[in-house]
Amino acid sequence: QVQLVESGGGSVQAGGSLSLSCATSGYTRSITCMGWFRQAPGKEREGVATIYTGTYNTFRTFYADSVKGRFTISQDNTKITLYLQMNNLKPEDTAMYYCAAAGVCSGLTAENPVWGQGTQVTVSS
């Protein structure tokens, strides 16, 4: 079983930056993709960014159109920690952000993912 613990959320003014981290533990050998998702009040959860591990430790990333050029997803070399660097934050980025890990993903969706508990990001105008 994989466990995920997010950290790094908080409050920031528009135009500011935040960095989120997701620490993984447990049986991670079945995990081939990880990602960040968010859910704003009254809205459905949406994919923000995902990262896939390919052969020879190559990576492939996907981003929601709304965050392209502002957010960057990455992993450390051991794939134990997942990161999301968020720059030029906007009020519409306000949401609970969740880390997810899965064995099968497609674009910004994950199949039967394991979820973290979430971390709140609030951006004021």
Side-chain angles (χ1 to χ4, degrees):
Q1 187 73 7
V2 176
Q3 293 83 43
L4 307 173
V5 178
E6 301 98 333
S7 61
S11 297
V12 66
Q13 289 192 325
S17 298
L18 283 173
S19 181
L20 305 183
S21 298
C22 174
T24 65
S25 61
Y27 186 75
T28 61
R29 292 181 65 183
S30 63
I31 301 302
T32 62
C33 55
M34 296 188 70
W36 291 97
F37 296 75
R38 68 186 181 187
Q39 187 167 19
K43 295 187 177 181
E44 296 204 353
R45 190 175 297 186
E46 63 174 356
V48 175
T50 54
I51 186 166
Y52 294 66
T53 303
T55 55
Y56 307 110
N57 271 339
T58 58
F59 295 94
R60 188 177 180 187
T61 57
F62 293 88
Y63 293 93
D65 288 342
S66 59
V67 306
K68 281 180 183 177
R70 301 188 297 122
F71 290 12
T72 302
I73 188 171
S74 62
Q75 282 179 307
D76 65 356
N77 288 338
T78 63
K79 297 183 288 183
I80 291 177
T81 307
L82 181 73
Y83 303 98
L84 184 69
Q85 177 65 40
M86 305 183 293
N87 297 326
N88 190 21
L89 282 159
K90 303 176 180 180
E92 51 264 42
D93 294 318
T94 295
M96 184 70 78
Y97 283 70
Y98 297 90
C99 174
V104 178
C105 295
S106 177
L108 289 173
T109 61
E111 187 172 311
N112 296 320
V114 175
W115 296 102
Q117 83 286 355
T119 185
Q120 179 67 37
V121 171
T122 302
V123 184
S124 58
S125 57

